[in-house]
Amino acid sequence: MTIAEILHQAKAELSARDLDLNIAEIIIETRLDLTRSELWMSTNRELNPSEKAQFDNDFARYINGEPVQYILEVAPFYGRDFYVTPSVLIPRPETEELVYAAEKFIEKNPARIQRILDVCTGSGIIPITLKATFPECSVTGSDISAEALEVAGQNKTRLKKDVRFIHSDLVDYFQQNGEKFDMILANPPYIADSERVEMSNYVLDHEPELALFAPNDGLAIYERLIQDLPDIVDNLFWIGMEIGYTQGSAVKKFFKKSFPQANVIIKQDINGKDRMVICHN
């Protein structure tokens, strides 16, 4: 079968199931290492038996509910393709907005930011992205999951960015070693267990629970992390955290308790929902 015939057949099935109509193109262009324009110039090409078998297997896995990012082991973030496995979350567009906020602050205050830490780093998308933009900065990512850090290490190697990754329960390692940072970012687990009933099986069946859920209505990690942050920031600092859209006020209170003299603001995402809390002085 030609690529055109495969895409036509696949789109009919995707449409009937009300699924993403772009999935077949994404699978083929990723497996054949084609750009989208190269794909459309190759629609008369016939897939060889092994290529067709690979497509059929990938497509069946997607139809059965597996995220395409885990099938292909790749997910885009901030203009780069990152290696992902079920040991890490699939990158979300909302997290790009946190990175953008950090970038804008560094651009305005380049002399202030030399040491950056990303807590709960997962696949390493945040520190690797910031290192790519600001190579002069010393950038570190930390996570409690050894499996996630293996993925982050592969992304560091693939994208050739000199980022340090540390195995740590939140910031324990840095407290014990007396390290301090000028900028700290975090996208910690923040979903309440009670929210499971509202979530799709697409997420629950495949993404790591360790990176999704937290006790105390999803606020437990924020409370503990923010309580410890004064130990690892210098006199001048910028801290940004992604939040669930109902958690802004609670997380802001945690920051005001730990940093009573700092500026604490809740920022909305592109959809108008509370998505970040930023604390700086």
Side-chain angles (χ1 to χ4, degrees), residues 15-275:
S15 179
R17 295 171 181 264
D18 198 25
L19 294 171
D20 187 346
L21 297 181
N22 290 307
I23 289 300
E25 285 100 327
I26 291 170
I27 290 172
I28 292 176
E29 68 191 25
T30 302
R31 291 300 190 191
L32 299 184
D33 195 23
L34 302 172
T35 65
R36 185 55 62 97
S37 60
E38 288 171 340
L39 173 68
W40 289 120
M41 289 188 291
S42 306
T43 52
N44 290 327
R45 170 183 167 182
E46 290 205 8
L47 297 190
N48 65 42
S50 63
E51 291 170 340
K52 180 62 166 60
Q54 180 71 68
F55 174 83
D56 290 343
N57 180 63
D58 293 340
F59 191 72
R61 288 170 65 185
Y62 176 76
I63 290 295
N64 288 327
E66 191 171 348
V68 70
Q69 295 90 340
Y70 290 152
I71 297 168
L72 301 174
E73 296 189 328
V74 64
F77 182 82
Y78 224 79
R80 294 176 181 83
D81 286 336
F82 285 84
Y83 171 63
V84 293
T85 75
S87 296
V88 297
L89 290 183
I90 296 167
R92 267 66 168 183
E94 293 84 355
T95 307
E96 293 190 350
E97 297 189 50
L98 176 62
V99 171
Y100 180 78
E103 284 188 350
K104 292 296 113 181
F105 186 83
I106 298 173
E107 287 171 0
K108 291 179 181 177
N109 306 274
R112 278 186 54 174
I113 306 300
Q114 300 298 321
R115 299 157 297 173
I116 302 172
L117 171 65
D118 177 47
V119 185
C120 304
T121 197
S123 57
I125 55 174
I126 291 176
I128 289 172
T129 299
L130 289 174
K131 184 66 175 180
T133 308
F134 305 102
E136 70 282 0
C137 291
S138 171
V139 184
T140 300
S142 69
D143 207 289
I144 194 173
S145 167
E147 293 81 9
L149 290 174
E150 288 181 13
V151 175
Q154 289 214 36
N155 280 318
K156 166 185 172 176
T157 301
R158 289 180 178 205
L159 295 167
K160 299 178 182 178
K161 301 304 172 201
D162 184 19
V163 175
R164 178 181 63 151
F165 288 109
I166 297 294
H167 186 241
S168 176
D169 185 1
L170 297 181
V171 296
D172 287 358
Y173 174 92
F174 310 106
Q175 287 177 296
Q176 293 164 10
N177 289 276
E179 292 193 43
K180 293 188 182 292
F181 299 89
D182 314 304
M183 172 174 277
I184 297 175
L185 300 95
N187 179 20
Y190 59 70
I191 301 174
D193 201 63
S194 60
E195 295 180 74
R196 285 177 185 270
V197 294
E198 303 168 18
M199 297 174 66
S200 71
N201 291 334
Y202 186 75
V203 173
L204 291 173
D205 291 347
H206 299 284
E207 299 201 58
E209 289 205 0
L210 181 66
L212 291 169
F213 297 99
N216 188 23
D217 292 327
L219 295 168
I221 305 298
Y222 292 113
E223 185 170 18
R224 185 180 147 212
L225 174 58
I226 294 168
Q227 179 179 300
D228 290 341
L229 288 184
D231 293 340
I232 65 165
V233 294
D234 250 333
N235 295 327
L236 294 175
F237 60 84
W238 186 97
I239 303 167
M241 293 190 186
E242 185 173 329
I243 60 168
Y245 70 93
T246 64
Q247 297 171 322
S249 296
V251 174
K252 183 176 181 177
K253 286 179 183 177
F254 296 150
F255 272 115
K256 292 304 290 185
K257 183 177 179 181
S258 288
F259 301 99
Q261 305 304 318
N263 298 311
V264 183
I265 59 171
I266 301 169
K267 292 197 68 168
Q268 294 183 327
D269 61 22
I270 196 170
N271 297 312
K273 292 185 177 181
D274 290 350
R275 188 58 61 189

